[in-house]
Structures are given as structure tokens and as C-alpha cells.
Amino acid sequence: GEVTLREAARLSLNIPAIKLLDEVGVERAKAFAERLGIRFAKADRDLTLALGAMADGVSPLEMAGAYQAFANGGTYREPHTIVRVVAAGNELRGRAVLVRRAMRPETAHAVTDILQTVVTQGTGTGALIGRPMAGKTGSVELPPDPAFEGLSGNSAAWFVGYTPDVVASVWVGYDQVDPEHYLPPDVNGSTYPTLLWRQIVGTALA
């Protein structure tokens, strides 16, 4: 039956995500994601993108960078580690931070409002730290390969969450997935990634 976008996000439903991408259009959706620092390969051009199926994938840093635009009211700031190096009072090297308007503030607010429901009532409740926050869980299924036939589990599990002050991305998995190295069924986006996020970010904001 029909569900709202809020309900689809809360329960992490796949089919509504695919139908939404179909309505929006793959190229339009990719252009939006690119404004958030997400890079695509040439092979990334079908509706499976709605479920995160990408040729090269996205790093935890890129995910955190993309989500912080929602926390910043639609302004994207390129993730960076070192802003400048100063020695003996002299700046040896500086670096301008890339800042751009990625979306309207209204869009950022609407998405944040939906993603707050994910952590208060949905798959992300394990990350709750007792302050305003939003986020999204994700689980990557095992590859459709005969080697994994009869096995139950996941390739990887995610949680990306944010408060007004901090954005953090948690990825759990193996660099190379094979029949000996994969996550058991009880390790998905709503279990260990949310627990790790709560412990790390909760401590950072204590």
C-alpha cells in the first residue's frame, strides 16, 4: 500500500526509495548528490542507486560530508582535516575550504525533520543520545554471487547521524567480502553502527 516518505524512511523501506528515484529521475538525483560531494562512476545510472548500489561506493568521510549539509541548513562544506600549518608564528601553508549552497534551507529542514523520526521511532533508535538529532541506517546485502548461496548476512552496515554540532558516520564491514568474511544477520544498520555512534558521539558531546 501507500506510505509517506516519513514512514518509508522510519522503517527503511526499499521500494518507496526506488519509486521516488524513478519519479525524480536518476540524473536529477545524481546532480543533487554531486552537490553534496558524492561522486559517481559511469556505470551508476539505474534505479538501484536508491539503495546505495554504486560501482565504486562512498567512503564514511564522504557520507559525513554529505549529511552535514542538512545540518548546516543546506550549505555544503568540503570535509578537510588540516586548515593551516603555522610554525614560529608564520603560516607555512593555508587551505581555503570549499563552501557552496547545495540545497534550499527548506529542503534541508524537511529532510532533517524526516530523519529525526528515524532515530526517535525507527531503525535508528539505538543511536539516541538525549538531544536533538537525525540520521539514517543502512545495510548492504551480500552480493548476488553463487559463492554466497545459502548464506545469510550482510556485506556492510551503516549509520550516519547528526546533531546541530556534530556529524558522524559509522561503517561496519570487511574491506573484501567473501564467504569467510561477511557480517552475520544480526549486524545491520540498526544494531552495532547505532551503538557505536551513540558511544562515540555521546562521549564527544558530553
Side-chain angles (χ1 to χ4, degrees):
E2 293 184 352
V3 295
T4 63
L5 290 179
R6 184 184 304 277
E7 188 72 354
R10 183 179 79 84
L11 299 176
S12 206
L13 302 179
N14 288 341
I15 292 175
I18 294 171
K19 289 179 72 70
L20 179 62
L21 179 57
D22 193 33
E23 290 273 335
V24 171
V26 171
E27 292 307 314
R28 185 179 176 195
K30 283 170 60 177
F32 180 85
E34 285 169 344
R35 294 198 299 273
L36 301 176
I38 303 298
R39 294 171 293 180
F40 295 94
K42 287 184 178 179
D44 296 331
R45 52 176 182 262
D46 61 38
L47 295 177
T48 60
L49 286 172
L51 307 180
M54 300 172 70
D56 298 328
V58 181
S59 74
L61 180 63
E62 289 169 326
M63 287 292 279
Y67 272 71
Q68 58 84 34
F70 296 106
N72 286 341
T75 299
Y76 172 81
R77 290 177 168 272
E78 184 181 41
H80 56 280
T81 51
I82 299 173
V83 177
R84 62 190 181 129
V85 178
V86 177
N90 298 315
E91 183 172 303
L92 303 180
R93 186 173 181 182
R95 182 182 188 278
V97 178
L98 172 67
V99 179
R100 64 170 171 258
R101 170 63 63 186
M103 71 191 88
R104 292 178 298 138
E106 297 86 353
T107 303
H109 173 77
V111 171
T112 294
D113 189 54
I114 289 173
L115 296 185
Q116 284 180 299
T117 304
V118 173
V119 295
T120 58
Q121 304 170 31
T123 57
T125 54
L128 282 172
I129 55 173
R131 61 171 66 202
M133 61 172 291
K136 184 70 184 74
T137 59
S139 302
V140 184
E141 295 178 350
L142 291 174
D145 187 301
F148 295 97
E149 190 173 345
L151 299 178
S152 177
N154 293 303
S155 292
W158 288 84
F159 179 72
V160 187
Y162 57 97
T163 73
D165 306 296
V166 173
V167 181
S169 173
V170 175
W171 176 89
V172 176
Y174 291 95
D175 287 340
Q176 299 294 327
V177 178
D178 59 45
E180 301 295 321
H181 302 89
Y182 65 95
L183 303 177
D186 63 333
V187 181
N188 54 57
S190 63
T191 58
Y192 289 95
T194 57
L195 173 64
L196 289 167
W197 195 95
R198 188 182 77 217
Q199 292 178 340
I200 294 166
V201 177
T203 300
L205 294 176

